[in-house]
Amino acid sequence: MTTRHIITIMLGLLLPVMAVGAEQVPLLQNVKAYESMSLNGDWHYIVDLQEEGYYDYRMNPTRWGFFNNAKPQRPEDLIEYDFDKSPTMKIPSDWNTQDERLFFYEGTVWFYKQFRVESLELRDGARALLYFGAVNYDSHVYVNGQHVGHHIGGFTPFNYDVTDLLKEGENVVIVKVDNKRHAEDVPTQIFDWWNYGGITRDVMLVKVTPVYLEDYSLQLKSSKFQVPNSKYREISFSARLNKKESGHKVCVLIPELKLEQQLTTDAEGMVSTTLKVNSKKLSLWSPANPKLYDVCLSLDTATYADKIGFRTIETRDKQILLNGQPIFLKGISIHNEKPNGGGRANSAEDARTLLSWAKELGCNFVRLAHYPHHEEMVREAEKMGLLVWSEIPVYWTIAWKNPKTYENAKQQLTDMIVRDHNRANIIIWSIANETPHSPERDTFLGNLAQYARTLDNSRLISMAMEVTGASNYVNRLNDNMNQYVDVVSFNQYIGWYRDVNDAPKMRWEIPYNKPVIISEFGGGAKYGYHGAKNQRWTEEFQENLYAENIAMLDKIDGLAGTTPWILKDFRSPRRVLPGIQDYYNRKGLFSDKGEKKLAFFVLKQWYETK
């Protein structure tokens, strides 16, 4: 029995029957502020191990591919696939946990969805954007048999204008997804998390006006840019249209602050201004007070809603200042994996569960490693008062000399910042993790750091470095990237990759007048496995490791925070020890089912004193 999922949307436009083209357009910021139709739900899928749906037997692209969704027209016609008779999978999801045959699979899977478009009339000339929250990793998108675009990167959103490909009535979207690993990719061939394949985040058909607000920014100006002793604070506002057109009316309204300003776009389709608000009336966002203001934006007759908080983040010597006051970042690292049993996290419920565990630990900060997490993760953290470190997957041994690899990383950095730059809780953009030193690496990462500042100069830049200058019991951080970052962060695993008894003897030399975050420390333990504190994999071993590390880290000059590795156990193909790991990295303070290990209480008690 076949399953056909039909959806109806009132787009408010008469769509042409003939397919005349489509294009990838810059990422739509705050996509959920727009009228949209969800394409989530059941999608048919075909596993294509040898990519016969895309290449012929000579490995040349074929015009007879699966993207045609061909049907036999005569009894003798040979067509060796049928989406309508193929099984279905819930989208968003990952194929590894949805089909047991695909648990370890890396390759191509085709996804197919039918939906209906019911139209009214053309008078407003509305456009339709096909939006993907994320597809891992390499995707080709087709609408009604026409190629829409090719996207590379597994953790950031992208969208296409498909208006001219849609028709009134039934439509078809087909996506070829390939999660094979390559040396020139970002991340590269090896990484210590599960390579979940598929359409892993929301899919939407979004209605936009012919001219729309492609991007906007509302940021509280740093106190160093304010007039001293002024009773007013300044909020910078800017917006950019999808077209370079002058004369459009843009309004920004924050009712609770009684702020409203009308602006007119310039020839570049842009507006910018400064809003002044009485300091006493402005409630600043912080972990103790995660205040969000209702914001209404309008362009001509279209309106857009958001909730935005206002805060400042900066450094002073070896301190991190939130709203002008020193703060210690009591953090934890988190993977974007479901809280109970694995699979790619993709819902607000997943986010709330994971973040509630972090709150229970006493955290005011989370490191969302090692790639941009789904948007609900960031927004739920914002509501819950959790500061965020957001990262792109420039991880381990990247192809530093490959220009296409750099452009890929740059695009992922762009999409991460564009999506989330209005979120008050994000205070750090991270550009890398544990990368080996070389002149080519320094150029690659230095350029990324400088580029990030051109996109957003209101946040801190960091990266997870490695300590390479160890000598006996002295660890000296020596990394040329120190000149590009605002916060010096590094990973260290005393007690796991080096004897835990060394911890009391260790001395750390960090020759930079900047705040320090220990971005990773920890060790593995299987929940419920008990024994002596020197017995590897026991909860007591992990408990003692945390106690010794905390005593050691407390001695570091300029320590401004930590994000131990990691909140919960997560799947990894690198972790193969039977009976202990079973394809899980066991460094979590929670098990993969949410059970607390003994080390949880050690870290929680320390955070209560900070």
Side-chain angles (χ1 to χ4, degrees):
M1 182 177 180
T2 61
T3 301
R4 174 183 284 182
H5 192 68
I6 306 296
I7 300 177
T8 300
I9 181 172
M10 306 305 286
L11 271 177
L13 67 160
L14 183 60
L15 295 164
V17 175
M18 297 301 293
V20 295
E23 63 174 332
Q24 182 166 352
V25 293
L27 184 62
L28 184 66
Q29 210 262 331
N30 190 21
V31 64
K32 293 190 177 179
Y34 294 78
E35 182 183 346
S36 66
M37 173 178 73
S38 173
L39 295 184
N40 293 347
D42 291 328
W43 288 55
H44 293 272
Y45 69 99
I46 298 173
V47 181
D48 190 6
L49 182 63
Q50 295 191 12
E51 296 189 278
E52 61 179 320
Y54 192 75
Y55 298 106
D56 65 18
Y57 73 109
R58 305 287 190 193
M59 287 305 292
N60 297 312
T62 176
R63 59 177 176 158
W64 309 112
F66 291 177
F67 45 82
N68 289 308
N69 188 34
K71 304 295 182 186
Q73 301 302 309
R74 303 172 301 168
E76 63 267 31
D77 287 347
L78 176 62
I79 297 176
E80 297 184 274
Y81 68 96
D82 190 330
F83 279 110
D84 290 317
K85 293 180 180 178
S86 298
T88 61
M89 182 182 299
K90 294 292 184 184
I91 297 297
S93 67
D94 57 89
W95 64 57
N96 313 79
T97 58
Q98 297 297 300
D99 184 337
E100 62 181 10
R101 299 173 303 165
L102 303 178
F103 185 66
F104 290 105
Y105 181 67
E106 293 184 333
T108 288
V109 176
W110 294 82
F111 292 91
Y112 162 92
K113 178 80 167 180
Q114 278 193 317
F115 60 97
R116 288 188 64 85
V117 171
E118 302 291 353
S119 61
L120 292 177
E121 54 191 345
L122 185 61
R123 64 171 179 258
D124 61 358
R127 309 294 294 176
L129 304 186
L130 181 58
Y131 178 97
F132 293 87
V135 178
N136 190 36
Y137 172 79
D138 184 309
S139 64
H140 285 271
V141 179
Y142 303 83
V143 172
N144 293 329
Q146 300 296 311
H147 189 249
V148 172
H150 179 208
H151 182 266
I152 296 176
F155 305 99
T156 52
F158 55 99
N159 43 230
Y160 302 105
D161 186 334
V162 298
T163 310
D164 297 332
L165 294 183
L166 296 175
K167 57 188 178 182
E168 186 174 359
E170 290 189 357
N171 292 264
V172 170
V173 57
I174 294 174
V175 185
K176 177 186 181 291
V177 183
D178 184 351
N179 74 330
K180 289 192 295 292
R181 294 164 292 116
H182 303 96
E184 67 273 15
D185 288 346
V186 181
T188 187
Q189 278 183 308
I190 56 171
F191 42 88
D192 189 15
W193 67 85
W194 206 265
N195 187 22
Y196 290 116
I199 302 174
T200 58
R201 296 178 187 165
D202 293 334
V203 186
M204 294 179 280
L205 195 62
V206 184
K207 176 185 175 181
V208 296
T209 51
V211 180
Y212 56 88
L213 277 183
E214 188 173 86
D215 189 45
Y216 59 87
S217 175
L218 271 168
Q219 301 283 349
L220 181 65
K221 289 186 177 181
S222 170
S223 57
K224 63 185 177 183
F225 298 119
Q226 306 271 357
V227 177
N229 302 317
S230 172
K231 66 177 182 178
Y232 293 101
R233 298 296 299 268
E234 294 182 341
I235 298 171
S236 61
F237 170 72
S238 62
R240 183 183 68 248
L241 308 184
N242 66 309
K243 294 183 178 180
K244 294 182 178 181
E245 292 184 0
S246 62
H248 290 277
K249 302 300 181 185
V250 175
C251 176
V252 55
L253 171 65
I254 309 177
E256 190 175 345
L257 295 175
K258 296 182 172 57
L259 292 177
E260 182 175 10
Q261 192 154 346
Q262 301 276 350
L263 303 160
T264 303
T265 59
D266 61 20
E268 295 297 310
M270 301 183 70
V271 295
S272 62
T273 191
T274 298
L275 307 171
K276 288 189 176 182
V277 59
N278 190 305
S279 299
K280 294 181 180 179
K281 295 181 179 180
L282 182 63
S283 181
L284 299 182
W285 188 100
S286 71
N289 177 49
K291 171 67 177 177
L292 299 175
Y293 287 93
D294 288 322
V295 174
C296 180
L297 302 166
S298 67
L299 169 62
D300 300 330
T301 60
T303 60
Y304 315 88
D306 204 345
K307 289 183 175 291
I308 295 179
F310 300 106
R311 58 96 192 96
T312 61
I313 190 73
E314 54 200 319
T315 64
R316 181 178 59 207
D317 298 326
K318 295 189 176 185
Q319 292 181 319
I320 295 175
L321 306 180
L322 177 68
N323 298 325
Q325 299 300 315
I327 184 171
F328 186 84
L329 300 176
K330 298 180 285 186
I332 193 73
S333 295
I334 305 178
H335 259 301
N336 199 202
E337 190 174 84
K338 285 185 177 294
N340 295 295
R344 178 64 65 219
N346 51 39
S347 69
E349 182 181 4
D350 291 339
R352 285 191 292 270
T353 299
L354 292 168
L355 296 170
S356 68
W357 294 352
K359 291 283 285 187
E360 190 176 357
L361 185 58
C363 294
N364 60 13
F365 179 55
V366 290
R367 178 189 178 205
L368 302 185
H370 283 294
Y371 39 77
H373 288 210
H374 66 300
E375 185 171 0
E376 287 81 0
M377 190 72 167
V378 177
R379 286 184 177 265
E380 290 297 321
E382 186 178 44
K383 295 175 188 175
M384 296 171 69
L386 286 164
L387 295 157
V388 164
W389 159 312
S390 189
E391 187 165 294
I392 57 171
V394 176
Y395 182 92
W396 289 358
T397 310
I398 293 291
W400 307 114
K401 299 179 184 180
N402 189 323
K404 290 185 178 179
T405 302
Y406 176 78
E407 289 304 316
N408 185 350
K410 183 179 178 182
Q411 188 61 55
Q412 292 190 46
L413 179 63
T414 301
D415 293 339
M416 176 178 72
I417 293 175
V418 168
R419 193 192 73 179
D420 291 333
H421 65 80
N422 282 314
R423 306 281 62 86
N425 59 330
I426 294 183
I427 58 171
I428 292 175
W429 300 124
S430 171
I431 57 172
N433 176 79
E434 291 183 356
T435 52
H437 297 192
S438 71
E440 294 81 9
R441 170 264 204 178
D442 293 346
T443 299
F444 188 110
L445 296 183
N447 288 340
L448 280 184
Q450 293 177 87
Y451 174 68
R453 294 189 195 282
T454 67
L455 296 179
D456 177 19
N457 62 6
S458 68
R459 289 175 172 84
L460 309 178
I461 302 295
S462 193
M463 57 179 283
M465 302 174 180
E466 290 184 304
V467 176
T468 58
S471 175
N472 293 326
Y473 296 108
V474 177
N475 281 332
R476 181 178 176 84
L477 187 63
N478 182 20
D479 196 313
N480 293 335
M481 286 300 296
N482 78 85
Q483 63 185 303
Y484 295 103
V485 299
D486 301 295
V487 178
V488 175
S489 306
F490 63 92
N491 302 344
Q492 66 83 22
Y493 281 95
I494 304 297
W496 192 248
Y497 300 118
R498 181 166 174 166
D499 194 326
V500 72
N501 295 313
D502 289 347
K505 309 170 189 175
M506 298 305 300
R507 182 162 58 87
W508 296 87
E509 293 183 357
I510 305 169
Y512 313 119
N513 188 34
K514 294 183 178 184
V516 175
I517 294 176
I518 308 303
S519 38
E520 291 181 28
F521 73 90
K526 184 174 181 180
Y527 173 77
Y529 181 43
H530 294 285
K533 68 179 183 179
N534 66 342
Q535 185 178 349
R536 184 81 65 159
W537 303 112
T538 64
E539 288 193 47
E540 287 76 10
F541 184 98
Q542 187 189 45
E543 177 187 40
N544 182 60
L545 183 155
Y546 265 77
E548 294 291 349
N549 268 264
I550 285 168
M552 175 185 68
L553 298 181
D554 257 338
K555 301 174 184 177
I556 293 179
D557 180 40
L559 185 67
T562 67
T563 51
W565 194 259
I566 189 171
L567 181 69
K568 67 170 284 288
D569 294 349
F570 61 94
R571 283 198 169 115
S572 171
R574 297 175 63 85
R575 309 299 173 171
V576 299
L577 181 62
I580 297 292
Q581 293 172 314
D582 299 315
Y583 298 106
Y584 273 95
N585 186 312
R586 295 295 185 188
K587 293 186 179 71
L589 297 178
F590 287 83
S591 74
D592 58 294
K593 295 180 174 61
E595 302 148 317
K596 298 184 186 73
K597 303 177 190 178
L598 293 176
F600 167 94
F601 301 99
V602 177
L603 185 62
K604 177 179 173 65
Q605 184 177 22
W606 185 51
Y607 279 167
E608 288 173 351
T609 69
K610 304 303 283 185

